[in-house]
Structures are given as C-alpha cells and as structure tokens.
Amino acid sequence: MARFVKVGSLILVVLIIVYSFAVTHPSNALSHKACTSWEMIKDKSFMLTHSGSKAYKVNKLPAGFEVKPGTAKEVPVLMYHYITPKADNKEPGNKSVINLEAFEENMEYLHDEGYYTATLQELEKYVLGEISLPEKSIVITFDDGYQNNYAYAYPILKKYGFHAVIFMIGSKIEKQTVLFDPNKKSSLSRAEIEASRDVFEYHSHTFGLHEKGFPKCGQSKSLALNTTLLQKDIKKIKAAGIDTPYLAYPYGEVSTQMLYYLKQNGYRMAFTVRQDFVKPGAPLMKLPRLTVTSVTNLPELLEHKITPKEAMDLNSL
Ligand SMILES: [Zn+2]
C-alpha cells in the first residue's frame, strides 16, 4: 500500500512539473510533448493498477533457446489490402492498393523459391520458441476483407497450394453475396468466407472500430483505442462468428490499455503496421509486418537488400 502511495505522489509531482512547464513555455511542439508525457504517465499508472499488464509486453523464450540450423531465423508477415488489375487501379499512389499483376508476380516468386506459407497458429508457436519452421517460411495477410481478395487472390493462392490470413472488419461482412464489380469496394459475404476457408483463415480487424475519432495528443486516432467501445466490440465480433485469439489493429494503432483488454478477452497475438520481420521472442501482441505495394521488389525485400521502408516507396511510380 505504502508503495502505491509513494508512486502516486511521484506521478503527481511529475505531472505538476510537466504541466507548469507546458503552461509557461507554450508552443505546439511543447504541448504535444506534455501530452505525450501525460500519456506515458497514464500508461505507467495503468500498469501499476492492472496486475500483469506489463507482462503482456514481453515474451520470454524457453531457457537455452536457439534457432536450429536450417530453420527460419525470422518470418516475414506480408500485408496486403485491396487488389485490382492495373487497368482498373484508380489509386496508384495508395499503399493499400496493389495491382493484381504485381500480386501474381509476388506469389509466383514465393512458389518458385519454395516458400512455406505458415498459419497463424504456427507463427504463434514459432514466436514462443515452441516450434521451428522451414527456413523459407512466410505469412500472407490481407486486412479489411475486400471481396476482391476472393475474386482475385484466392484462385492464385489455391493454384500454388498457399495458405493466407484475412483480418475481417466484422460489421462489413455482407449477408448476401453481391455480384463482384471490380470498380466497387465491396466486402466478402458470409457465403464467400465459408467457401474460401480452404485457403484463408479469418481473424479480427475489430467489428466496427475501423474508424478514426479517438482524440490523442491533438490527433484523431483509431476508435479501438477507446477501451469502453473496444470491450463491447469484442463481444460483437465474436457474435459475428469471428471468435479468434488473433487480431490486426485498425491503422496499426495500439495502447497499453487496449492490449490489456484484448488479453483479458482471450486475444493472444496481434499485428501492427510497424515494418519489420517477426523473430522468436518478439512480443506477441505487437508483431510487425511488411507492407507490399505494386512497386515493392519482393526478392530484394526478403533478402534484406532493401529496407522495408524503401520497399514500399511509391515515389518511383
Ligand atoms: Zn484496415
């Protein structure tokens, strides 16, 4: 108890210092800094008052863990969203839209190189150090659940015997299948989800929180950061049939509080949009991915000849 009082008074003192500094030195950068410090303090006090919340940020590998020779040292988790033939692509500058031709080339390359497309359950065990994966392993993911993932990606993935993941926005699932129109941003229907389970596994991208509107330090962030909304949303996505321990954060945005409530509700692994490869021992609730655009040179990215940031640079378009 005495320790909490001590920490509490320390937080109060830091708060007063931060605020008096911000008030006496008003500038945008400074008030932003004050807000960020305030967020850090809130995080710290949340961790102190919610037991175990700090533990969600670490992943301890088994004692003496080593990557076995000839097995995967890292696993790239590729991130795609919307697929459209180049001729129909009205947004060539949008990183979330990839030309079908480029996607096809990506898949052909992975197949020719003998890549193994892992499931999320395998990835989870791999990150925990419980299993090894083939040296050339990869996870293919799609966010949002567009109908074109079924119309365009599914046949290609099936042809190569590949497995992939779709992070579905629950509220967007169509009750009735609509006729596919390449010029419309339509979503997958319940029947299409069922029909494509031989290739895709479906997980959460929240039910209805894929929207901005949560104010944080002068910015509008993902609504999923509102933990009251989040807790209701978790029930909704489960009721929509996506009852899963895996999730992709809308816009990749996550907070300590959000992470805590997800863990409390059975989520064990989640993905951001931080650009990196996944390695054993990585914090499971904050796994990075690699954005693949129409101009990404996938072989160079996977061989580390270019950085993930360079790989998604659309300036060359
Ligand atoms: Zn999304």
Side-chain angles (χ1 to χ4, degrees):
M1 191 60 201
R3 193 169 143 248
F4 277 104
V5 173
K6 233 179 178 176
V7 174
S9 13
L10 188 70
I11 289 170
L12 201 68
V13 171
V14 175
L15 256 181
I16 294 166
I17 295 169
V18 167
Y19 272 101
S20 34
F21 195 68
V23 171
T24 47
H25 301 75
S27 82
N28 268 345
L30 209 67
S31 36
H32 185 76
K33 225 175 190 172
C35 178
T36 318
S37 327
W38 169 228
E39 289 298 330
M40 272 166 62
I41 293 163
K42 274 205 290 193
D43 268 19
K44 286 256 152 44
S45 53
F46 185 86
M47 281 194 258
L48 281 170
T49 47
H50 294 74
S51 67
S53 57
K54 200 176 175 185
Y56 300 157
K57 292 190 165 181
V58 289
N59 166 15
K60 273 199 186 138
L61 288 168
F65 172 84
E66 260 175 48
V67 174
K68 289 192 188 81
T71 70
K73 288 186 207 63
E74 60 187 11
V75 173
V77 179
L78 305 184
M79 179 173 66
Y80 297 99
H81 289 79
Y82 194 88
I83 302 180
T84 186
K86 196 175 179 186
D88 294 336
N89 190 350
K90 294 175 197 76
E91 300 172 81
N94 185 341
K95 287 191 177 81
S96 299
V97 178
I98 186 165
N99 292 336
L100 174 59
E101 294 82 351
F103 177 77
E104 214 160 5
E105 216 174 275
N106 288 174
M107 294 306 117
E108 193 184 354
Y109 169 77
L110 295 177
H111 173 260
D112 293 352
E113 287 292 309
Y115 269 89
Y116 171 70
T117 49
T119 65
L120 286 195
Q121 201 181 10
E122 287 171 327
L123 185 74
E124 182 187 15
K125 289 188 170 146
Y126 167 82
V127 175
L128 287 168
E130 291 172 5
I131 60 163
S132 298
L133 283 172
E135 195 161 19
K136 283 188 172 182
S137 290
I138 201 155
V139 173
I140 302 168
T141 71
F142 297 83
D143 281 10
D144 304 348
Y146 292 111
Q147 197 183 18
N148 56 43
N149 294 176
Y150 184 48
Y152 295 138
Y154 174 84
I156 300 168
L157 293 163
K158 198 172 164 82
K159 179 174 83 180
Y160 292 128
F162 280 177
H163 178 82
V165 177
I166 292 184
F167 291 108
M168 190 75 210
I169 303 171
S171 63
K172 295 260 170 93
I173 301 173
E174 297 281 355
K175 284 193 185 71
Q176 301 284 325
T177 304
V178 290
L179 194 67
F180 179 63
D181 176 348
N183 295 308
K184 278 193 185 143
K185 281 197 173 180
S186 47
S187 294
L188 288 159
S189 70
R190 180 78 50 201
E192 286 167 325
I193 290 176
E194 292 314 320
S196 59
R197 284 198 194 267
D198 55 338
V199 167
F200 293 124
E201 52 177 300
Y202 287 88
H203 301 288
S204 174
H205 201 26
T206 74
F207 181 82
L209 301 180
H210 197 288
E211 258 177 74
K212 296 275 183 177
F214 181 75
K216 196 174 183 183
C217 298
Q219 285 176 311
S220 183
K221 297 277 189 180
S222 158
L223 277 186
L225 294 173
N226 178 329
T227 51
T228 310
L229 291 180
L230 178 69
Q231 289 175 83
K232 287 181 193 152
D233 190 87
I234 291 169
K235 290 194 180 81
K236 287 187 198 165
I237 190 121
K238 284 185 181 176
I242 303 181
D243 193 355
T244 160
Y246 309 132
L247 169 139
Y249 300 110
Y251 314 103
E253 292 170 0
V254 53
S255 67
T256 303
Q257 289 86 336
M258 184 181 179
L259 207 147
Y260 173 81
Y261 288 109
L262 286 172
K263 289 287 286 190
Q264 288 274 307
N265 284 281
Y267 285 87
R268 302 196 304 261
M269 183 167 79
F271 296 85
T272 66
V273 294
R274 189 169 66 79
Q275 300 294 307
D276 206 351
F277 292 74
V278 171
K279 294 186 179 70
L284 274 171
M285 291 300 284
K286 280 190 175 182
L287 294 186
R289 289 190 283 175
L290 297 166
T291 300
V292 187
T293 72
S294 298
V295 298
T296 297
N297 186 325
L298 194 61
E300 288 195 349
L301 172 65
L302 298 181
E303 287 162 25
H304 291 271
K305 286 180 183 157
I306 49 168
T307 65
K309 198 167 178 286
E310 284 163 350
M312 61 167 176
D313 186 3
L314 287 169
N315 290 333
S316 52
L317 274 178

